[in-house]
Amino acid sequence: MKLDAKIPSGPVAQKWEKHKFNLKLVNPANKRKFEVIVVGTGLAGASAAATLAELGYVVKTFCFQDSPRRAHSIAAQGGINAAKNYQNDGDSVHRLFYDTIKGGDFRAREANVYRLAQVSVNIIDQCVAQGVPFAREYGGLLDNRSFGGAQVSRTFYARGQTGQQLLLGAYQALSRQIGLGTVTMFPRTEMLDLVLVDGHAKGIVVRDLVTGKISSHAADAVVLATGGYGNVFYLSTNAVGCNVTAAYRAYKKGAAFANPCYTQIHPTCIPVSGDHQSKLTLMSESLRNDGRVWVSKKKGDKRRSQEIPEAERDYFLERKYPSFGNLAPRDISSRAAKEACDDGRGVGPGGLGVYLDFADSIKRLSQEKIQERYGNLFEMYERITGENAYQQPMRIYPAVHYTMGGLWVDYNLMSTIPGLFVLGEANFSDHGANRLGASALMQGLADGYFILPYTIGDYFASNKPAKPSTSHPEFKSAEESVTGLTKRLLSTRGKRTVRSFHRELGQIMWDKCGMARSEASLKEALSRIPQLREEFYKNVNVTGEAGSLNQALEHAGRVADFLEFGELLCLDALTRNESCGGHFRVEHQTEDGEARRDDEKCSHVSAWEYQGSGRQPVLHKEPLSYEEVKMSQRSYK
Amino acid sequence: MKLTLKVWRQKDQESPGHFETYQANDVSPDMSFLEMLDVVNEGIIDRGEDAIAFDSDCREGICGTCSVVINGMPHGGHRATTACQLHMRHFTDGQTIYIEPWRAKPFPVLKDLVVDRAAFERIVQAGGFVSVRTGGTPDANAIPIPKEDADRAMDAAACIGCGACVAACKNASAMLFVAAKASHLNTLPQGKVEKDRRVLGMVAAMDKEGFGNCTVTGSCEAVCPKEISLDFIRQLNGEYLIASLKGK
């Protein structure tokens, strides 16, 4: 396998313009001869499917939910970044580019990130034209807020429901195309394998989640926009259905998986309340604009928050990072909270929490103002915890939230399998080792609206229409392997539920490969995961039938993939012998506990190539070079 | 606490359904309602039986997937709360709880508590959008929008499409859902251009799907987890009347 990122030559600011001109076009009359499969209907998938259909391609779209509108992009709260500089506070494309590269701890591609910053401005225009009700000022113009890792206000938002509104915009564009008959939508349909014909991605095998029927769909290209793999940790802020299956099966068919160890732990989530917990709930990072994070200076302090006088409180983010304070980036804030808890100063049950306190802001701005800004978040907090955060501080703790790693793609968003394109969180391309807040929505929509529609045309123009028949032997053998796994899972009839395996895997991942990782902990995980996987196939109990709606079976298939993927994640974490962004190796830290990169040895993308069951995957390295920005120790002090 | 659950079990769309009784022991007040069902399902699977099927995804009240009627109330009837965000602290030890799917003709039951809401999709496809293509749009600040209008549009756009409004309505009317989408777009200058087409198209699709008529009893607003206001139905009725008179 040879990794060729296909980065255009020339100055970074001109690469995309130049590349767009050099990309081959498909003439309008020929577009309808090409069929595209899009898997996933979040921001990336829905925007891509709608745009490709508008251009004239024949599109088939798949999602496992009952409607494309339910994809987990819907849950993004805080906002979307764009270098509009409407605030006149010194923002620019170059500054958004720089902040993103630095925020990613110098582990992302310069050319991709610069393009992302460039198209960010078009995204806002597009969304407004679709009727996305962004927050506005009294003069009628768009409002902005600031977000972690930036010193300008460039985040556009729609109350605490920005992801919902952006997704509904893309969903409505997609629905329009479905109504026009240019897109065929398959809801409640899960992709279970990718099919290659003559080395090119030419289709997928799916299971109808209502009838259990396994079937094949062929096309000229396949687009995966299937999200991240945070649920390998069992507890995360992802929806319970989020999974790695589509991406992992593509990996097993030859797509390189890049940087799986880059996982983002979000600092402001509601702490775990017990074993029954099925997911963790995020409180938007925007709360850190007005909330102050603190714990007691004393260890094991059992006093209630109100009883701890000001002088005995440690506002640790403000203390450690005076210039960014409570708005330090996510990885740094999460680790600082963990340190405070490890030090015995955590709050709430089990000492796994820190305070996020709004008392000062309420005094400064009034409760009404805070309610206007964050009312729905305060209500959500009260529903889950039973506590009123206007009267006492919120308790928060870090949780797995986003995965920067994903399938390796080149500048055209094509994976190492020709004809397989990967968008949004499912690819690895733009966030390096840590993603800044409000950048996930930006990337998903950039990929779907403004990048893929250009680059996929070049692939089609270079390859004649060649949609195979689904009776091709490759489809039949993929269907057989999918059916075989289903039968195996249903016939095991062991003693443990799928959920108990998932929970145990998650515990291993969180303890051994979570916020802090060491050689010893990773080696332990790498010995325990295969044992757990072995037990899974011997002792899992999946009830119900193959030929009907069977949620236990769906979950079993996803957990089977997580049990393999978790090992790849830990292997990548062990191999990356440095700390960077969300990947913190305890062996590599500065004297004051910050991540220490090793630019000499580790300034590369790690792309893993599958070698078959039971064999160690092969590591390929794509070197990262920085021409526009100077690599530096990331400092938010 | 200990609870007795009476859960609607139905093998598939064609089969008749019935209530089955389950005991839920060791229920923690910090569990969400769906987490309580997860735990009950673990026990059912341990006994080798088929687990209770129910829809859920985000489990934070925004995706609109979860759809259970709890003691006769869609989502359980707590203000602004979806079933996934309803916590067991609202129930008492020893209580009996009835759990059913959405019940409305246009939402056929697929299995147990899972219903098919594809009818909502077809309503959106009939006009719940602004007809713009990707690219070539004016600068986002080119058209100022009064804050009041943007806020009103956002109030309507907050709908999560769960269908509780239909499940609560004695006529199985989808007016609140349709009114929310139409009002969101019709209130903004970008959506005003095709306002008439939109309301006529969406209302026709709604009728075709077999949803009942609105008699303004307000049960939809009462159970809506996003507190979508009945006022949007008033707006839709007005806009529908104008569009019909124009004869477009």
Side-chain angles (χ1 to χ4, degrees):
Chain A
M1 180 184 288
K2 203 177 150 287
L3 300 176
D4 177 5
K6 301 206 176 80
I7 309 285
S9 59
V12 73
Q14 287 156 33
K15 283 180 196 287
W16 178 232
E17 271 311 307
K18 186 177 147 191
H19 189 63
K20 275 198 287 188
F21 182 74
N22 289 333
L23 288 169
K24 288 183 218 157
L25 299 173
V26 179
N27 102 41
N30 282 339
K31 286 202 177 85
R32 62 173 180 269
K33 294 177 186 159
F34 290 96
E35 198 165 324
V36 190
I37 283 172
V38 180
V39 187
T41 58
L43 287 185
S47 59
T51 306
L52 292 173
E54 287 164 9
L55 287 170
Y57 296 111
V58 178
V59 181
K60 277 184 177 177
T61 309
F62 298 81
C63 69
F64 69 76
Q65 299 91 342
D66 74 321
S67 159
R69 69 180 290 157
R70 318 246 184 248
H72 198 56
S73 305
I74 200 126
Q77 299 169 356
I80 177 166
N81 287 327
K84 282 285 199 185
N85 193 30
Y86 284 160
Q87 302 299 321
N88 195 29
D89 58 357
D91 200 10
S92 63
V93 166
H94 200 273
R95 188 174 298 280
L96 174 54
F97 155 71
Y98 178 78
D99 286 349
T100 308
I101 287 279
K102 178 187 171 194
D105 216 354
F106 304 92
R107 289 291 175 266
R109 274 191 205 139
E110 272 193 341
N112 284 59
V113 175
Y114 199 91
R115 173 176 66 184
L116 177 66
Q118 283 175 308
V119 304
S120 70
V121 298
N122 306 113
I123 295 170
I124 303 302
D125 298 345
Q126 183 66 34
C127 294
V128 167
Q130 289 170 341
V132 170
F134 284 120
R136 290 184 182 261
E137 296 169 347
Y138 280 105
L141 303 185
L142 291 159
D143 192 17
N144 291 114
R145 55 167 60 143
S146 49
F147 243 66
Q151 288 175 310
V152 294
S153 289
R154 62 159 75 97
T155 305
F156 295 79
Y157 66 101
R159 294 197 190 137
Q161 293 120 282
T162 317
Q164 179 197 27
Q165 294 311 313
L166 296 178
L167 182 62
L168 291 180
Y171 160 74
Q172 286 160 203
L174 174 63
S175 295
R176 175 171 165 247
Q177 295 302 319
I178 297 170
L180 292 169
T182 57
V183 175
T184 313
M185 178 71 225
F186 296 85
R188 291 197 196 269
T189 307
E190 182 165 27
M191 167 177 162
L192 291 180
D193 211 349
L194 176 74
V195 178
L196 274 58
V197 175
D198 300 329
H200 286 244
K202 289 291 176 193
I204 59 175
V205 171
V206 298
R207 180 169 181 271
D208 179 322
L209 299 182
V210 178
T211 64
K213 188 170 178 285
I214 307 283
S215 64
S216 291
H217 294 266
D220 293 283
V222 177
V223 177
L224 296 189
T226 49
Y229 48 82
N231 276 349
V232 69
F233 291 86
Y234 183 61
L235 287 182
S236 80
T237 64
N238 286 1
V240 291
C242 293
N243 65 81
V244 77
T245 290
Y248 191 74
R249 307 266 169 116
Y251 161 75
K252 286 175 102 170
K253 286 290 173 84
F257 209 108
N259 301 332
C261 79
Y262 291 165
T263 50
Q264 179 166 80
I265 316 278
H266 196 292
T268 51
C269 300
I270 299 176
V272 175
S273 69
D275 281 345
H276 55 264
Q277 192 117 12
S278 60
K279 77 153 277 156
L280 295 170
T281 303
L282 177 90
M283 303 302 293
S284 169
E285 174 166 317
S286 61
L287 289 168
R288 291 198 279 146
N289 273 305
D290 289 305
R292 298 179 72 195
V293 177
W294 65 276
V295 291
S296 170
K297 286 181 178 167
K298 272 204 317 210
K299 289 184 189 191
D301 197 335
K302 293 281 173 235
R303 288 176 293 178
R304 294 190 310 147
S305 60
Q306 298 92 322
E307 295 161 3
I308 303 177
E310 198 61 28
E312 293 174 37
R313 298 177 176 191
D314 177 14
Y315 293 91
F316 56 87
L317 287 178
E318 296 171 25
R319 172 173 58 81
K320 293 177 75 169
Y321 309 102
S323 68
F324 280 69
N326 293 298
L327 284 175
R330 291 176 175 177
D331 52 340
I332 287 175
S333 307
S334 292
R335 267 201 305 281
K338 180 180 188 294
E339 269 170 34
C341 295
D342 289 351
D343 194 30
R345 297 186 294 141
V347 303
L352 291 175
V354 299
Y355 289 127
L356 178 62
D357 197 337
F358 294 86
D360 284 355
S361 296
I362 289 172
K363 218 181 290 170
R364 180 165 49 90
L365 298 167
S366 80
Q367 179 164 329
E368 287 68 45
K369 193 77 196 167
I370 294 297
Q371 195 160 0
E372 185 190 317
R373 284 185 191 168
Y374 312 109
N376 62 326
L377 298 171
F378 277 60
E379 277 180 30
M380 181 154 91
Y381 182 79
E382 185 165 5
R383 268 196 295 276
I384 293 172
T385 62
E387 294 171 5
N388 180 340
Y390 295 107
Q391 286 159 12
Q392 65 187 94
M394 287 183 180
R395 288 175 298 109
I396 55 167
Y397 195 66
V400 174
H401 177 55
Y402 185 88
T403 55
M404 284 74 67
L407 291 173
W408 185 91
V409 289
D410 64 15
Y411 191 68
N412 294 322
L413 304 181
M414 189 156 84
S415 70
T416 53
I417 298 175
L420 177 70
F421 294 81
V422 190
L423 316 185
E425 190 179 354
N427 75 27
F428 87 107
S429 72
D430 294 354
H431 305 296
N434 174 55
R435 177 176 66 73
L436 292 182
S439 285
L441 303 181
M442 172 172 69
Q443 187 223 338
L445 291 180
D447 287 359
Y449 283 134
F450 296 110
I451 299 172
L452 179 82
Y454 286 90
T455 60
I456 202 169
D458 187 66
Y459 172 74
F460 288 141
S462 316
N463 295 273
K464 295 277 158 289
K467 189 182 104 170
S469 150
T470 52
S471 56
H472 191 284
E474 292 290 345
F475 281 98
K476 291 297 137 204
S477 88
E479 283 181 22
E480 276 163 27
S481 91
V482 165
T483 311
L485 177 64
T486 303
K487 274 193 188 139
R488 185 176 173 189
L489 291 169
L490 282 168
S491 62
T492 305
R493 290 295 163 126
K495 297 223 176 319
R496 285 182 66 182
T497 59
V498 177
R499 190 177 295 275
S500 83
F501 282 101
H502 195 176
R503 197 184 287 122
E504 186 175 341
L505 172 68
Q507 198 65 50
I508 296 172
M509 296 301 296
W510 179 247
D511 290 344
K512 308 296 171 193
C513 192
M515 265 189 283
R517 302 154 175 188
S518 70
E519 185 177 338
S521 74
L522 292 167
K523 284 187 169 158
E524 194 188 332
L526 284 169
S527 85
R528 282 176 61 188
I529 295 168
Q531 290 166 12
L532 185 65
R533 189 167 62 230
E534 200 176 317
E535 196 202 334
F536 176 80
Y537 284 107
K538 282 187 188 144
N539 198 25
V540 73
N541 183 16
V542 185
T543 55
E545 298 159 8
S548 70
L549 198 158
N550 186 342
Q551 292 167 330
L553 177 63
E554 294 164 26
H555 193 195
R558 294 167 192 166
V559 171
D561 288 324
F562 278 136
L563 281 165
E564 291 183 25
F565 176 75
E567 198 178 343
L568 180 67
L569 198 163
C570 292
L571 176 65
D572 186 48
L574 181 65
T575 313
R576 184 161 286 280
N577 229 326
E578 65 165 348
S579 294
C580 56
H583 170 63
F584 190 76
R585 285 282 299 266
V586 294
E587 300 93 334
H588 304 283
Q589 50 182 310
T590 62
E591 276 170 15
D592 40 3
E594 303 296 340
R596 187 161 62 205
R597 295 195 320 264
D598 183 347
D599 292 338
E600 287 272 297
K601 296 200 186 96
C602 299
S603 184
H604 60 254
V605 175
S606 300
W608 297 90
E609 183 184 8
Y610 185 69
Q611 297 293 310
S613 173
R615 312 240 299 267
Q616 177 138 334
V618 169
L619 173 64
H620 300 272
K621 293 177 182 175
E622 179 200 334
L624 291 169
S625 57
Y626 291 87
E627 289 159 15
E628 278 305 303
V629 297
K630 199 171 147 283
M631 293 173 91
S632 58
Q633 155 93 29
R634 213 159 55 120
S635 170
Y636 292 93
K637 292 198 168 170
Chain B
M1 53 186 161
K2 286 186 168 71
L3 301 167
T4 302
L5 309 181
K6 305 270 186 189
V7 184
W8 185 260
R9 301 299 310 258
Q10 181 173 337
K11 192 165 176 293
D12 52 37
Q13 203 172 322
E14 281 74 40
S15 310
H18 64 280
F19 282 104
E20 192 84 44
T21 306
Y22 298 94
Q23 295 302 322
N25 303 323
D26 300 327
V27 175
S28 149
D30 290 328
M31 284 175 175
S32 72
F33 195 83
L34 301 187
E35 285 168 347
M36 183 274 294
L37 283 181
D38 286 340
V39 173
V40 170
N41 267 341
E42 296 283 277
I44 294 176
I45 293 171
D46 281 340
R47 293 198 298 275
E49 297 162 24
D50 195 11
I52 302 162
F54 63 93
D55 263 332
S56 79
D57 202 25
C58 79
R59 297 209 175 183
E60 51 186 278
I62 193 73
C63 74
T65 308
C66 63
S67 43
V68 289
V69 175
I70 301 164
N71 285 338
M73 297 287 270
H75 292 304
H78 286 260
R79 193 186 69 81
T81 305
T82 53
C84 67
Q85 293 259 288
L86 175 65
H87 280 66
M88 297 312 292
R89 65 180 74 93
H90 297 293
F91 297 85
T92 50
D93 192 23
Q95 200 179 339
T96 297
I97 304 174
Y98 283 82
I99 309 170
E100 299 169 76
W102 280 179
R103 298 212 189 262
K105 210 167 152 202
F107 290 162
V109 174
L110 296 174
K111 183 178 177 180
D112 300 341
L113 307 172
V114 177
V115 298
D116 181 359
R117 286 170 286 195
F120 269 11
E121 299 299 308
R122 292 184 286 269
I123 294 175
V124 174
Q125 288 156 19
F129 48 76
V130 177
S131 301
V132 288
R133 299 165 59 87
T134 301
T137 49
D139 184 85
N141 263 345
I143 307 172
I145 301 175
K147 186 175 187 301
E148 297 75 11
D149 291 356
D151 286 347
R152 180 173 171 85
M154 182 63 216
D155 288 342
C159 167
I160 57 175
C162 64
C165 47
V166 175
C169 178
K170 65 187 171 73
N171 301 331
S173 167
M175 273 294 272
L176 193 64
F177 170 76
V178 175
K181 186 44 55 195
S183 303
H184 155 214
L185 297 172
N186 294 351
T187 303
L188 295 169
Q190 289 82 2
K192 279 209 164 78
V193 179
E194 46 191 338
K195 188 169 73 161
D196 297 338
R197 284 166 58 91
R198 177 175 303 117
V199 295
L200 294 176
M202 292 181 79
V203 169
M206 172 180 83
D207 291 343
K208 191 174 157 212
E209 294 294 340
F211 291 102
N213 289 323
C214 175
T215 48
V216 208
T217 62
S219 58
C220 51
E221 183 188 48
V223 301
C224 176
K226 297 295 148 182
E227 302 185 290
I228 305 291
S229 164
L230 270 187
D231 191 52
F232 294 117
I233 294 184
R234 179 199 57 74
Q235 182 177 342
L236 176 62
N237 281 332
E239 287 168 348
Y240 182 79
L241 182 67
I242 291 167
S244 310
L245 290 172
K246 284 183 188 168
K248 278 195 182 171

